[in-house]
Amino acid sequence: MGRELIDAIVAMDDKKALQITQDLLDQGVAPNKILTDCQTAMEEVGSKFEKCEYFLPELIMSGEILKQITEIIKPELDSTTGNGKKKGKIVFGTVFGDIHDIGKDIVIFMLESNNFEVVDLGVDVPIEKFVESIKTEDPDILGMSGFLTKTFDAMKDTISGISEAGLRNNVKIMIGGGTVTEDIVDYAGADAFGETAMDAVTLAKAWMGGNKNE
Amino acid sequence: MNEKYEQKRKRIDDTIALKKPDQVPIFLPQSYLPARTEGITLKEAHYDVDAWVRANKNFVLKYDPDMYFFIEAPINGAGQVHDILGTLAMKWPGGTLPDDVPFQFVEGEYMLQGEYDHFLDDPSDFLLRVFTPRVFKNLEGFSKLPPLKNLALGCYGTPVYGMAMAAPEVVESIERLMEMSKHALNFTVKSGQLYAELAAEGHICAANAPVLHPFDIISDMLRGMRGTMLDMFQVPDKLISAMEKLYPLSLGGAIGAAQATGNNQIFIPLHRGADGFMSPKQFEQFYWPYLKKLIEDLVNANLVPMPFFEGTYEQRIDYLQDLPAGKCIGWFDRSDLNLLKEKLGDIMCVAAGMPASLLQTGTVESVRKQTKEAVNTFEGKGFIMTSSTVIDEAKPELLQAWIDATREFSSQ
């Protein structure tokens, strides 16, 4: 199988990518192989994003293509197929007092596209829910999103709550959002902040000990 | 106007014209901050216009900046207006949010990609009968109206419209509009009185009412960010045609607001054209032509555009060099100050300097250090000291330290 599908996705040609997908299925190509090519395409998109050749619209568009390809091949997938061992588990949510979800959803999408398992706690997430999720999900990483300046204190209080529960050393914590800057990392007690969706992927890969190009 | 007002006016006008003013002007873009400093809840800010007006008045009199921000900014219409309309595209404190949580937009694809043709054929029809019922629950009745083109039938059309208007849902929606308008008018009258009082005491409002770039109207309000990003790839011609339809609204709205308020500074929050939100190629194709045109048309109408370049504009900064020199206030969020000075020092006065996060989490020393660096970068010319974004939260001592430091360092 050549690079036709990968190239179509990377070129943002949705019509071509979907046509190729259908052609491959008709030819009897395994859905798992198609998903692997999609994964390769998303990594190439991510790489171009890191080099500032691609931007948020390309992440959204490639995500949309991936979603539509997944819809086409879903009936062909069975419970035994999957797309490999996950790189790590991440719990993610927008902190209490904030209902913004666009940034969070893009970051989660990129993390999942890069083979992380993500548990999405949603928006306006109280401290207790983050604490409980660490106990029940046993994640490697916790991600907190917040768009408003009010959320700096919410992030700080959430991390304090996690520390008080004796769970701070169980997870690495990343924060991000429209007004979050480097100084908020120390203020809130987090481990790092990300300015873009790909920063989150880079951080997660580094924390899980993998080569960031894997 | 009084002497204090004239002094501030000259200071700002000299700065806009890239002449050296007597000192660096301070623009305090207070958003919810007066609620914090004056001890009212955010719910009161939205529902009690007298309390909100009082809080803003006390705030401006206390901190005495050269420019303050319009008080409608965090409110977007009184709480009662949104209760009555059943607003779905926004949540607000005391309404659909707890009393002390800031308002937040609920973005969505309120216009589907397949509906561009309807919008382009008859924008008013689409907006009244399809879009409005989606964003205001209690205006669902408008979806029962017949196509507006029926009005072209004149007398022949009256039976059609007459019957439609008799439908209970339509009647209810119209009654809701009439009911909410009283609250909307009350807010506007009270805020107008405040602006006049503050002007009489020597205080200048930076701008009245926002004007949106046509791309941001589509991305913020109609298609959502995700939808519009897909549109750039999937239906670029329709997106551009829709912006053509909306452009007169942006320009006309600005000119109308200036005439109504007497304030010739026009605030233009810029959202979806920032670095990262689209490629340079997409910026050139979709965003820049209308931004340039809007600014030039406003300047030609003897108005002062005040574009707020949210996010960063470092990848696009060379485009901004094409704007008319000495005619705009460019408010910058995260763009590097040295780059702004280098590239735009001869083009527009830059309003920037203090990260909003530092006013919450910093120290007096770090705020003073940041202020000094910002003032020195621009050497006292073509620079308005302001924060990276509107201010909801700040420690009062850091706010005062910032203002004092600006005055101190700009006179050195």
Side-chain angles (χ1 to χ4, degrees):
Chain A
M1 193 168 138
R3 277 189 54 97
E4 254 196 319
L5 178 59
I6 296 170
D7 289 342
I9 296 171
V10 174
M12 304 295 137
D13 192 338
D14 52 342
K15 290 187 178 58
K16 191 169 179 183
L18 295 175
Q19 185 59 57
I20 293 169
T21 300
Q22 191 57 61
D23 290 345
L24 290 171
L25 284 174
D26 293 344
Q27 291 161 26
V29 172
N32 200 35
K33 181 71 179 76
I34 295 174
L35 275 180
T36 302
D37 274 7
C38 289
Q39 189 65 42
T40 303
M42 292 307 292
E43 285 175 1
E44 288 186 21
V45 168
S47 175
K48 283 180 181 290
F49 182 87
E50 284 180 26
K51 293 183 217 164
C52 293
E53 291 168 17
Y54 276 6
F55 302 85
L56 200 47
E58 278 84 5
L59 298 188
I60 297 286
M61 184 65 183
S62 56
E64 175 66 15
I65 297 173
L66 183 64
K67 184 175 143 200
Q68 290 186 34
I69 289 176
T70 308
E71 287 299 312
I72 294 176
I73 66 175
K74 205 190 288 187
E76 312 294 331
L77 287 170
D78 62 34
S79 60
T80 61
T81 60
N83 51 347
K85 187 174 180 303
K86 298 295 179 186
K87 290 193 174 104
K89 191 172 188 181
I90 305 174
V91 160
F92 221 103
T94 299
V95 292
F96 68 88
D98 196 328
I99 60 167
H100 290 92
D101 59 0
I102 294 175
K104 169 183 75 68
D105 289 349
I106 292 169
V107 170
I108 287 175
F109 176 79
M110 290 310 297
L111 288 168
E112 287 179 332
S113 299
N114 281 271
N115 224 13
F116 285 92
E117 182 187 352
V118 183
V119 176
D120 183 358
L121 298 181
V123 299
D124 193 17
V125 179
I127 299 170
E128 307 76 50
K129 196 168 174 186
F130 272 112
V131 170
E132 196 54 37
S133 73
I134 298 174
K135 292 177 187 169
T136 54
E137 300 289 343
D138 190 26
D140 303 291
I141 296 166
L142 194 90
M144 292 195 290
S145 172
F147 183 72
L148 306 169
T149 52
K150 190 181 163 66
T151 58
F152 304 156
D153 284 331
M155 288 179 180
K156 183 176 175 167
D157 292 345
T158 301
I159 295 175
S160 294
I162 293 170
S163 297
E164 280 162 24
L167 298 170
R168 179 63 181 94
N169 291 334
N170 292 37
V171 287
K172 296 286 263 186
I173 298 181
M174 64 168 82
I175 58 175
T179 51
V180 174
T181 52
E182 183 70 50
D183 49 285
I184 304 304
V185 173
D186 283 340
Y187 179 77
D191 292 303
F193 101 104
E195 203 163 334
T196 71
M198 279 317 295
D199 286 344
V201 174
T202 305
L203 273 171
K205 282 180 175 172
W207 283 342
M208 295 314 299
N211 185 309
K212 73 171 190 178
N213 291 320
E214 279 177 7
Chain B
M1 257 326 148
N2 56 70
E3 191 184 327
K4 185 173 179 179
Y5 185 99
E6 292 305 330
Q7 186 184 46
K8 287 182 180 177
R9 188 69 258 168
K10 183 172 189 327
R11 183 175 297 149
I12 296 162
D13 288 344
D14 284 347
T15 306
I16 294 168
L18 304 177
K19 298 179 200 166
K20 198 167 168 64
D22 61 339
Q23 60 186 28
V24 170
I26 298 169
F27 166 37
L28 264 199
Q30 89 290 357
S31 182
Y32 278 125
L33 187 54
R36 303 299 188 210
T37 58
E38 303 303 315
I40 64 170
T41 64
L42 301 191
K43 178 183 176 179
E44 285 172 287
H46 280 257
Y47 283 86
D48 184 346
V49 61
D50 293 325
W52 182 232
V53 161
R54 205 163 42 243
N56 276 274
K57 184 173 183 178
N58 290 345
F59 180 90
V60 173
L61 292 178
K62 182 175 174 179
Y63 290 103
D64 192 22
D66 295 295
M67 290 197 294
Y68 65 95
F69 209 41
F70 58 103
I71 73 167
E72 286 82 353
I75 308 298
N76 301 303
Q80 295 90 338
V81 165
H82 294 292
D83 283 338
I84 293 164
L85 295 179
T87 300
L88 299 170
M90 187 181 84
K91 292 190 176 186
W92 65 99
T96 43
L97 284 174
D99 289 0
D100 222 32
V101 174
F103 89 91
Q104 292 159 65
F105 289 114
V106 181
E107 205 176 271
E109 284 190 40
Y110 297 111
M111 168 177 158
L112 304 175
Q113 195 182 76
E115 292 170 335
Y116 265 105
D117 289 339
H118 185 176
F119 176 83
L120 292 170
D121 174 60
D122 190 338
S124 301
D125 187 82
F126 173 78
L127 291 169
L128 180 65
R129 298 192 312 115
V130 181
F131 171 75
T132 292
R134 286 181 184 159
V135 298
F136 299 109
K137 186 174 183 309
N138 296 339
L139 298 184
E140 275 175 343
F142 291 146
S143 65
K144 301 282 184 281
L145 290 171
L148 295 185
K149 285 179 184 172
N150 278 279
L151 293 167
L153 298 173
C155 303
Y156 287 127
T158 51
V160 174
Y161 256 88
M163 272 180 52
M165 297 301 248
E169 312 95 309
V170 175
V171 171
E172 190 183 334
S173 293
I174 293 172
E175 284 175 346
R176 293 281 181 163
L177 277 184
M178 290 165 65
E179 192 188 344
M180 79 86 172
S181 69
K182 297 175 212 157
H183 297 282
L185 182 65
N186 183 46
F187 194 103
T188 300
V189 165
K190 296 276 171 73
S191 68
Q193 285 169 347
L194 172 67
Y195 298 134
E197 282 171 23
L198 285 173
E201 303 233 22
H203 302 283
I204 296 176
C205 187
N208 288 104
V211 170
L212 287 176
H213 185 298
F215 188 98
D216 290 328
I217 295 176
I218 295 169
S219 187
D220 289 355
M221 301 296 170
L222 299 177
R223 294 279 297 125
M225 185 184 80
R226 186 178 175 280
T228 313
M229 285 180 174
L230 294 176
D231 293 346
M232 286 197 286
F233 293 103
Q234 294 175 328
V235 289
D237 293 341
K238 292 188 182 183
L239 174 55
I240 289 172
S241 296
M243 287 196 281
E244 284 289 322
K245 288 276 186 189
L246 288 166
Y247 180 78
L249 171 68
S250 296
L251 179 64
I255 293 172
Q259 284 169 348
T261 63
N263 191 333
N264 72 339
Q265 289 176 192
I266 306 296
F267 175 58
I268 314 171
L270 299 172
H271 296 152
R272 300 281 155 81
D275 291 349
F277 282 85
M278 54 174 67
S279 66
K281 190 174 157 200
Q282 285 166 332
F283 179 78
E284 188 158 317
Q285 183 182 6
F286 296 103
Y287 207 82
W288 175 239
Y290 295 96
L291 177 55
K292 183 168 190 274
K293 184 169 168 46
L294 183 59
I295 288 176
E296 286 174 346
D297 284 347
L298 289 173
V299 168
N300 291 337
N302 294 318
L303 301 175
V304 176
M306 187 171 173
F308 179 21
F309 298 96
E310 297 185 46
T312 60
Y313 259 71
E314 292 168 7
Q315 292 167 11
R316 289 103 173 71
I317 200 160
D318 288 347
Y319 288 93
L320 304 186
Q321 292 177 323
D322 278 348
L323 294 172
K327 301 289 185 189
C328 297
I329 301 171
W331 182 3
F332 288 89
D333 177 3
R334 293 179 182 237
S335 299
D336 178 73
L337 295 182
N338 288 298
L339 185 67
L340 292 173
K341 167 71 175 167
E342 178 200 335
K343 296 278 188 173
L344 301 179
D346 296 327
I347 304 297
M348 66 171 72
C349 88
V350 167
M354 179 58 64
S357 57
L358 209 57
L359 293 172
Q360 263 186 270
T361 64
T363 61
V364 169
E365 290 70 36
S366 62
V367 164
R368 282 179 59 82
K369 181 169 178 280
Q370 176 64 29
T371 306
K372 189 173 186 178
E373 276 174 23
V375 170
N376 286 350
T377 299
F378 288 86
E379 298 162 329
K381 199 172 96 160
F383 177 62
I384 296 175
M385 172 57 84
T386 191
S387 58
S388 57
T389 187
V390 296
I391 310 175
D392 283 346
E393 314 279 343
K395 288 183 183 160
E397 65 271 22
L398 297 183
L399 199 61
Q400 193 61 58
W402 178 36
I403 293 167
D404 292 343
T406 305
R407 302 270 186 239
E408 179 188 332
F409 295 128
S410 70
S411 60
Q412 288 177 355

